[in-house]
Amino acid sequence: MKDKLLAAIETARARGADYADARWVESRTEELMVKNGSLAIAELRGTQGVGIRVLKGGAWGFAATDRLEGDSLDAAAARAVALAEASARVMREPVRLAAEPALKSSWATPRQIDPFAVAREEKLDLLTGVEAELHVDPRVKVAQAQMLFDQQQLLLVSSEGAELAQDLLTSGGGLVAIAADGSTIQRRSFPDSAGGMHLGAGYEVIAEFDLPGNARRTAEEAVALLAADPCPVGEKDILLDWSQLGLQIHESCGHASELDRVLGMEANFAGRSFLTPEKLGNFTYGSPIVNLVADSTLPRGLATRGWDDEGVAAQRFHVVEGGRFAAYFTSRELAAVEKNPRSRGCNRAESWNRIPGVRIPNLGLAPGRWELDDLIADTEDGIWMETNRSWSIDQMRLNFQFSTELGWEIKKGKKTRLLRGCTYQGRTPDFWGACDAICGDKWWRPFGVLNCGKGEPGQIARMTHGSAPARFRKIRVGVSE
């Protein structure tokens, strides 16, 4: 394959391209689900192809093909050059790429067990047993257990001399119980909502999750929520668990820090951003204990890799440091806007048939020093909120509302009663400015996002947001009737 990619690069160069890269991707995905006693999904799907990106006259051109024989790649390279020539006629500013060493190397997701080598019968036996455990009460109307495994083999070559091979693996799964009583419907999921927990690792993570050991408790919580009191309305101190904080980080910091979104080059699905360029290094994003760290080297992160899709090495850097906004996510094209001589390595594509764009890498809230029990004991009037149920955020990533599957009222340092329908609202910098306590390392957990959508045509990307439970003072909660 490398020789074919190099030949396509030569074709692009012969047609006048100033820069060209060719990216081969072969992927396979296995998805399994048992729902209400039946096999709902058992699918193995795959795809393979090559995307060719060229720069000519300061403008981009991109073409892709899933035909890898004959002159198909050369033809795609010629189309990419023609598109760059057309784009150059309407461009505002020519593209200039930040320098990056052209490496020849390889990287693979560490794994103990290849999930595709595990017999499907073994996986379905586990899911069937887990699903059966969820039927603890006739009010459990929907019970489901699922797994998903995904592998991408990539090879990137460029006209600068880069030759980078990667083998990226994602493994995960989870369970869901939905209970209903009349018009009241409540849901609980484990280890997380939106399909469960997923990590950059092998099949070994399924045993680590202990789905059988957590099924009954999860279903019992869904039933208990049917009779729980509703979330009160007013200002409360709220304590968020790791998974809810993960989505808060994703929506209010991750998307807000994508530089193409800030500059108006991208607005699909997630809108623009309030973090405009003059705020870089000068904006108080949160309280002094808020440190949000991007890390594409994070062990088991879904965005962890050797290089992004234009050959920039994985990096770790502060996006928010001591509460101050410190960095954007950039590509080689956008590095100059941040006055950084080097890209931060955040340019990724969903697959071979999409041009890379700026995406959120792994992004986590650095741990503090609190023990969780001490944090609860230190809270006079608050609510513990756990596992995201829904969210809404405006087109500038500024005003938001989130709801969680479960809540516990906290009075005078103790959990008192179960709450359902817990919601909170806020404005991004005010919310993070209200953070006064973060739990320590032992409470830090990863939250994997499988379905981050962006672009037109749309692309899906994956990343991990890690955090430990944290407290936010005097946050508006509940919904007035």
Side-chain angles (χ1 to χ4, degrees), residues 154-454:
L154 303 96
L155 177 61
L156 173 74
V157 303
S158 78
S159 57
E160 295 174 336
E163 295 179 9
L164 299 170
Q166 302 197 72
D167 178 359
L168 308 178
L169 180 63
T170 295
S171 299
L175 54 89
V176 176
I178 299 176
D181 188 0
S183 61
T184 302
I185 299 173
Q186 295 296 318
R187 166 195 173 108
R188 282 297 284 149
S189 49
F190 176 84
D192 191 21
S193 55
M197 171 85 85
H198 297 81
L199 299 170
Y203 190 75
E204 63 274 9
V205 301
I206 298 299
E208 295 172 15
F209 294 161
D210 189 15
L211 300 180
N214 286 281
R216 172 169 286 273
R217 174 190 58 79
T218 302
E220 289 174 345
E221 287 179 351
V223 173
L225 282 167
L226 293 171
D229 292 326
C231 179
V233 178
E235 280 192 349
K236 300 281 186 182
D237 295 341
I238 63 171
L239 281 62
L240 301 182
D241 80 319
W242 55 271
S243 68
Q244 175 55 38
L245 262 177
L247 192 61
Q248 180 80 48
I249 292 167
H250 181 88
E251 300 295 347
S252 67
C253 182
H255 280 307
S257 303
E258 295 171 320
L259 187 52
D260 58 342
R261 195 178 302 285
V262 170
L263 299 176
M265 300 167 67
E266 164 62 33
N268 289 292
F269 294 115
R272 299 282 303 275
S273 171
F274 73 98
L275 285 172
T276 43
E278 79 281 0
K279 293 185 174 69
L280 183 63
N282 301 307
F283 182 70
T284 301
Y285 177 92
S287 70
I289 66 169
V290 173
N291 289 281
L292 289 156
V293 181
D295 188 357
S296 295
T297 70
L298 176 73
R300 292 186 158 189
L302 295 185
T304 299
R305 59 199 60 221
W307 307 270
D308 72 358
D309 284 337
E310 56 182 1
V312 179
Q315 298 168 38
R316 185 179 190 275
F317 57 92
H318 275 81
V319 176
V320 175
E321 185 167 18
R324 191 167 297 276
F325 179 55
Y328 290 111
F329 306 133
T330 62
S331 62
R332 291 182 66 182
E333 175 183 351
L334 297 183
V337 178
E338 204 189 38
K339 297 181 180 178
N340 191 334
R342 189 177 176 215
S343 165
R344 294 194 181 274
C346 304
N347 216 26
R348 291 186 284 145
E350 176 181 343
S351 189
W352 55 270
N353 56 356
R354 295 289 187 269
I355 190 169
V358 174
R359 302 306 301 247
I360 308 170
N362 303 317
L363 175 65
L365 177 66
R369 296 181 177 179
W370 284 78
E371 292 292 331
L372 181 55
D373 288 346
D374 292 341
L375 183 56
I376 293 171
D378 186 67
T379 302
E380 182 71 14
D381 181 18
I383 301 176
W384 165 266
M385 296 191 189
E386 181 176 322
T387 315
N388 183 261
R389 179 165 176 158
S390 68
W391 72 96
S392 175
I393 190 164
D394 71 21
Q395 290 292 296
M396 298 303 286
R397 310 273 110 190
L398 196 55
N399 299 284
F400 60 79
Q401 173 171 296
F402 289 88
S403 71
T404 60
E405 291 183 353
L406 176 146
W408 279 97
E409 183 180 60
I410 300 172
K411 289 289 187 184
K412 297 181 179 179
K414 296 185 182 301
K415 287 184 176 179
T416 56
R417 57 175 176 153
L418 187 66
L419 299 174
R420 62 180 167 85
C422 288
T423 67
Y424 65 94
Q425 307 93 45
R427 185 176 173 273
T428 295
D430 299 335
F431 178 80
W432 287 102
C435 182
D436 80 328
I438 305 171
C439 288
D441 279 324
K442 68 182 276 190
W443 302 101
W444 199 93
R445 303 283 187 278
F447 167 81
V449 176
L450 281 181
N451 58 349
C452 175
K454 186 176 180 180

